[in-house]
Amino acid sequence: MSETMTMAKALNAGLRRALEADPKVLLAGEDIGQLGGVFRITEHLQRDFGPERVVDSPLAESGIVGTALGMALRGYRPVVEIQFDGFVYPAFDQIVSQVSRMRFRSMGRLSVPMVIRIPSGGGIGAIEHHSESPEAYFAHTPGLVVVAPSTPLDAYWMIQQAVASDDPVIFFEPKRRYHEKGEVDLTAPPLPLDAARVVLEGSDVTLITYGPMVKTCVEAALAASAEGRSVEVIDLRSLSPLDDATLRASVEKTGRAVVVHEAVRSGGLGGEIAGRLQEDCFYSLEAPVLRVTGYDMPYPPSRVEKNYLPDLDRILDAVDRSLAH
């Protein structure tokens, strides 16, 4: 059974299903209850499940995450919302010093089944601290699972898989894709949470991306096909762990790779992916692994964010440079 819905509605439906399936699941965050969240992802959930399971928290990200950690250790499965990506930093110490380390610290005796939802990325014309891409901080941290859906279908299933995980999951939601629609199969088995997806198959070059840039890369691949170039597009879906096998199989086929993300270039996930492909696919590569990213600067004012974000032209230029080798 399939339904057409926006990513926002798919996330809401996935959270609803998780709440229905397990009485130990609860939600917490700033304005997620009566308001339904800034982006209405949790709309009507407090009405239907009550204020003890859908909790309007104080404006204190460290407190939200710290409380959720304690509840996870007591057998609950909390799902907390960080209202905007740039607000996660007050909770950074809790996440990297406590949440991520608990299983290792206890030699596997304790688990932390909690989800931290983070609306992320730019493209919505927001003010400072509302358009960040902090995923590399968390992908760098052992003990955290880091994922990023790009479609309503993935959003619906991945949020349920994240809630069911016994490890802490950082769940990045591409906020500028919240209102884009797609088909959601409510019954077909989903991909594993840690699996990448081949969105488009091709033979000349591989585009590797995730989250908000998947749609842009598909548009670039279709534009390239009009010029006789066959571009494969891979949606990582999981940023930690990475699905190395899928990446390796694609690059061994095409011999070329371009990694695309909104986050800054230096220290970004693209460098890690390029390094792994260099090690694993050295004899298959026909060109250096290239990166198309945000610039090494704070996210700019909304008037000029279109010049900061990778776009079709920048991606196609990288494809041309790769094929020129």
Side-chain angles (χ1 to χ4, degrees):
M1 181 177 66
S2 295
E3 293 184 19
T4 300
M5 60 180 75
T6 64
M7 180 179 285
K9 292 298 184 184
L11 286 164
N12 181 278
L15 289 168
R16 177 178 293 277
R17 188 164 173 177
L19 285 161
E20 291 171 343
D22 187 347
K24 292 293 188 180
V25 174
L26 56 87
L27 315 183
E30 299 164 9
D31 298 320
I32 70 161
Q34 291 187 7
L35 181 65
V38 171
F39 298 102
R40 304 300 188 267
I41 305 302
T42 53
E43 190 171 37
H44 301 318
L45 295 181
Q46 188 182 74
R47 179 196 68 187
D48 296 340
F49 294 94
E52 292 184 351
R53 294 191 67 195
V54 182
V55 181
D56 277 315
S57 69
L59 304 182
E61 286 76 15
S62 180
I64 294 169
V65 172
T67 301
L69 171 59
M71 299 189 77
L73 293 173
R74 296 291 291 180
Y76 291 89
R77 292 184 175 271
V79 181
V80 300
E81 178 183 293
I82 303 298
Q83 196 171 70
F84 281 92
D85 35 35
F87 300 170
V88 74
Y89 301 115
F92 190 77
D93 178 56
Q94 291 279 13
I95 296 170
V96 303
S97 298
Q98 307 300 331
V99 173
S100 68
R101 295 169 181 259
M102 197 60 67
R103 184 186 286 274
F104 184 82
R105 182 183 294 153
S106 67
M107 300 179 68
R109 289 189 292 269
L110 298 175
S111 61
V112 184
M114 63 182 286
V115 180
I116 302 173
R117 294 181 42 243
I118 306 177
S120 68
I124 64 167
I127 58 175
E128 188 180 15
H129 304 307
H130 291 67
S131 298
E132 304 291 322
S133 298
E135 60 268 19
Y137 293 117
F138 302 107
H140 174 75
T141 304
L144 299 175
V145 175
V146 184
V147 300
S150 67
T151 66
L153 175 63
D154 273 347
Y156 174 75
W157 284 111
M158 289 172 72
I159 190 62
Q160 295 178 67
Q161 292 169 313
V163 173
S165 172
D166 286 332
D167 289 309
V169 179
I170 309 296
F171 197 91
F172 284 104
E173 302 168 5
K175 64 173 84 82
R176 65 170 154 145
R177 306 300 184 199
Y178 272 150
H179 300 297
E180 295 180 0
K181 294 182 178 181
E183 286 295 311
V184 177
D185 191 323
L186 303 176
T187 56
L191 285 173
L193 186 61
D194 60 355
R197 177 171 63 100
V198 179
V199 182
L200 287 178
E201 292 192 359
S203 57
D204 294 337
V205 61
T206 300
L207 284 181
I208 301 167
T209 190
Y210 55 89
M213 295 309 303
V214 172
K215 180 180 180 181
T216 309
C217 284
V218 168
E219 292 171 349
L222 295 175
S225 69
E227 300 176 355
R229 292 169 174 173
S230 179
V231 177
E232 184 149 296
V233 179
I234 292 180
D235 178 3
L236 290 175
R237 300 176 73 251
S238 174
L239 311 186
S240 180
L242 287 169
D243 182 357
D244 292 312
T246 298
L247 298 181
R248 189 162 52 243
S250 178
V251 175
E252 286 176 349
K253 176 178 66 172
T254 65
R256 293 174 168 83
V258 176
V259 188
V260 182
H261 57 65
E262 286 190 14
V264 299
R265 177 185 178 93
S266 295
L269 198 62
E272 173 64 26
I273 294 169
R276 293 192 187 196
L277 293 176
Q278 174 75 3
E279 292 176 2
D280 296 343
C281 306
F282 181 79
Y283 291 106
S284 299
L285 287 170
E286 301 290 340
V289 179
L290 302 179
R291 290 172 285 170
V292 182
T293 70
Y295 298 109
D296 287 353
M297 59 176 287
Y299 198 91
S302 59
R303 294 192 307 275
V304 294
E305 67 179 353
K306 66 180 182 297
N307 299 317
Y308 173 87
L309 295 170
D311 59 12
L312 186 142
D313 288 337
R314 287 176 61 194
I315 296 169
L316 288 176
D317 176 69
V319 169
D320 289 341
R321 287 187 285 119
S322 181
L323 290 169
H325 280 271

